[in-house]
Amino acid sequence: MTPIAEAVRAQHTLDPENWDELRTLGHRMLDDMFEHLETLRGQPAWQPVPAEVRQALDEPLPRGSQPVESVYQEFVTNIVPYTSGNRHPRAWGWVRGNGTPLAMLAEMLAAGINSHCGGGNQSPTLVEEQVLEWLREIMGMPQGTSGLLTSGGTMANLIGLAVARHAKAGFDIRKDGLQGVSARLTVYCSAETHMWAQKSMELLGLGSRSLRRIAVDAESRIDIAGLRKQIAQDKVAGLHPIAVIGNAGTVNTGSVDDLIALRQLCDEAALWLHVDGAFGALLKLSPKYRHLVRGAELADSLAFDLHKWMYLPFEVGCVLVRDAEMHRAAFATPASYLEGAERGMLAGGMTFSDRGIELTRGFKALKVWMSLKAHGVDAYTALIEQNMEQAAHLADRVDKHAELESLSRRQMNIVCFRYRPGAPMSDEELNRLNREIVLRLQESGEFVVSGTVLDGKYAIRVANTNHRSRLEDFDALAEAVIARGQRLLL
Amino acid sequence: MTPIAEAVRAQHTLDPENWDELRTLGHRMLDDMFEHLETLRGQPAWQPVPAEVRQALDEPLPRGSQPVESVYQEFVTNIVPYTSGNRHPRAWGWVRGNGTPLAMLAEMLAAGINSHCGGGNQSPTLVEEQVLEWLREIMGMPQGTSGLLTSGGTMANLIGLAVARHAKAGFDIRKDGLQGVSARLTVYCSAETHMWAQKSMELLGLGSRSLRRIAVDAESRIDIAGLRKQIAQDKVAGLHPIAVIGNAGTVNTGSVDDLIALRQLCDEAALWLHVDGAFGALLKLSPKYRHLVRGAELADSLAFDLHKWMYLPFEVGCVLVRDAEMHRAAFATPASYLEGAERGMLAGGMTFSDRGIELTRGFKALKVWMSLKAHGVDAYTALIEQNMEQAAHLADRVDKHAELESLSRRQMNIVCFRYRPGAPMSDEELNRLNREIVLRLQESGEFVVSGTVLDGKYAIRVANTNHRSRLEDFDALAEAVIARGQRLLL
């Protein structure tokens, strides 16, 4: 044995010394988690973090080891009760999914086998391709469409826009970049578009001022005539329009742009149509509601989340790109240490790394695959329709109750309303009152709802992508808003 | 009950109808996974995907539900045996970690509570801040340094470079972008820098031709004099140097640039120093080896992976940014539906979303937090030192064996060598031979090693970030390479 060998005779590892102990703890964790999920309804939806928990979570760097049991106990005591609450049956704040027990198990399995999912010759590659193929079919995009699972909507949208930039620049943008470009590459979207668009324009070096935010109509949809006019003006002014972003479900109100008109306009002007269908695109699953997002399938690139309206745990989104070769051309990068081979582990290449930014990727596809197979697509259809009908039911309650006021026409699963008592109050007073109602509802642990400002009016915002909610939860919300409002006015 | 209410009386959910059934299956999964991990050593490290498995993983969209048990059985049969193999004790292909049983459990818990980790008033926010603080301390960066957990090294590096671009542009790059810039923003790195740099330059709109790849010395470190000269020339030519990328552990050979000299040069020229320490930066943990990455702590931004040399399952990397305000300024974006509040769920703001690209983020911090606490930092130190010494042992074997030839001086945990029999052979013949050896080793399931090309010579590449390897595994590798080589020559 060499001297070096002497030094490493200890044979350290992070595998447990005693497998049975960790196994036993693992089973306890699983039991606890199942019990937690099964009894969610009786728990607070959200609670502020108490001072003592803040203190407990502020510790010096742990040099030595601690018993795993006690670390787990800290998790149970200090973390579980004080989270973002979106898994709760009465959580409709923002557009966040709940997660499912089955997908929780899938995440455990994925972390157990810990596959590197950049591509290569392995089953996880086939599983991801399979999932992408299913999602393509659900979305109604043509065979041969390319795709990628991402961390979520922002990354999916960013990738779509990056492919658009590559396809429409008219020069070798990967090599030359945007520096020195005289005719500014310009992108168009509605004023209601999610902030990912601004962030992506900034990141891509296009600059937020190259993002033209077009006014919306009364239903928060992009004004097509205004868009057409702006593009024409910009061309005359020497700009270089490259892409239009269409919304299939805006974040504030769930509006859907006229995607068929956008497709036509993009064809005429040789522009890329990217559709942000973060949650809305999943309506494609429903024969009853898919007309609401008609035209999404005409996109050159389509982004959507699976951790929203497909109820999966974070993180997983998807981008589909009609022109597979263009998708690859925008990202594929060779490297000597990833030298291609017809055999061996790299056979097939780094397919997924070649379609996006990351080289190393986890096995996000497993939870999608297991869930789609075990629940079946029809279950998602039923749930999405249920969410729509629950939202309709809430909107109906709002309309019928004298002290509740709708602040947007419900188009999808989002209801924006406010408490408005009989006594006359200014918008400013109503804003303050409703903001306080939202905070009190959160703090009480009864409901997770969010707020947004529409036309200067503060709205209580209910975005229903919850597979655990029941109809009576929405009745209870309406009653709670009124009760809280009345109490605050006393 | 309204007519809508009638329609949703069914009260669908993705929670199981029968919790006990899923709970029982979950426990079986956990037992299987534990057994799988405990018996890894006896399993093949990797196997090609057989045709029948390929076929089985190609199915029509599942409309109806399937028994969860049978979906799981497909996972066991068709996926587990055919993955990227990096969790195996004899896996040293590329730089990939193994994952740990504890972190597998942490991922299950994180998916169970499914927290939205953009920020906000919740324990997961505190846990991520805590983890970032520990990592900052480990890296020796000053208090007040900002940070973010990312999907991995590419994203961490991309974020670092995006902050550099923002800090050094000299104009409002978020608003104006790069279009029309006359003095090209230019970034410098060594020729050995990982492909993330090119990909990021492209994505950021800087263009790969604004990435100046400087030649390296005999030890694959950036030539400082050459760099200085190029920067001076570029300034004269009207370019606008903004940043230098330093390597703390190149992917091919584990070289470390002279980071102290780079810091000095960057100070003189008012440039941003970004350090890519994807795996190398973790040497900071070792009193014995941290001198190898000295100067990494002087970076303006420092990127590294935790799913490599911290042995965690995918995905988790980290970027640290010295100037916290600049980090935020490069990314923070307000949105009405995320309206800040002093109370309620959004209190504290979307801290993490404001430091990167994604708005929605999963609870990656939990596995880091649980692992650092339960194992203790000292365990990581011991393991990293063990990996170093195992690599030294292998290099020693290579040096001593007449039929093995070292192809790079070992500086870290990476050993590049080839089989070279006594009989005279051209480099071309040796390349073919060694490429075949790597493929045969992979296909046999004995070892996961990768190959790379150094100076036109094909090298067998062993990158040891494995907490499961024992010394004898490296002896076995050396013997297997020789045996395979001899057999191929017969």
Side-chain angles (χ1 to χ4, degrees), chain B residues 237-299:
Chain B
L239 301 183
H240 177 188
I242 58 165
V244 175
I245 297 165
N247 288 299
T250 58
V251 68
N252 266 329
T253 60
S255 294
V256 181
D257 293 326
D258 184 342
L259 301 173
I260 292 167
L262 288 185
R263 175 72 273 172
Q264 200 177 346
L265 187 155
C266 285
D267 284 343
E268 287 165 19
L271 303 182
W272 185 275
L273 176 59
H274 174 79
V275 170
D276 174 11
F279 62 98
L282 268 307
L283 280 175
K284 283 280 180 194
L285 281 168
S286 160
K288 196 164 165 189
Y289 294 111
R290 68 170 60 116
H291 66 277
L292 291 174
V293 291
R294 65 180 159 246
E297 73 285 358
L298 304 174

Side-chain angles (χ1 to χ4, degrees), chain A residues 22 37 78-79 140 148 186 193 200 205 208 226 235 262 332 342 367 370 377 394 419 431 440:
Chain A
L22 190 65
L37 294 175
N78 294 330
I79 299 179
L148 188 71
T186 305
T193 304
S200 295
S208 58
K235 280 188 174 169
L262 288 184
E342 286 179 23
K367 61 187 168 192
M370 289 186 78
V377 168
L394 175 62
Y419 173 69
N431 288 356
R440 298 267 171 118

Side-chain angles (χ1 to χ4, degrees), chain B residues 304-319:
Chain B
F304 52 101
D305 272 306
L306 306 176
H307 57 216
K308 290 190 168 84
W309 223 352
M310 213 172 238
Y311 314 103
L312 287 168
F314 308 121
E315 308 168 339
V316 61
C318 178
V319 61

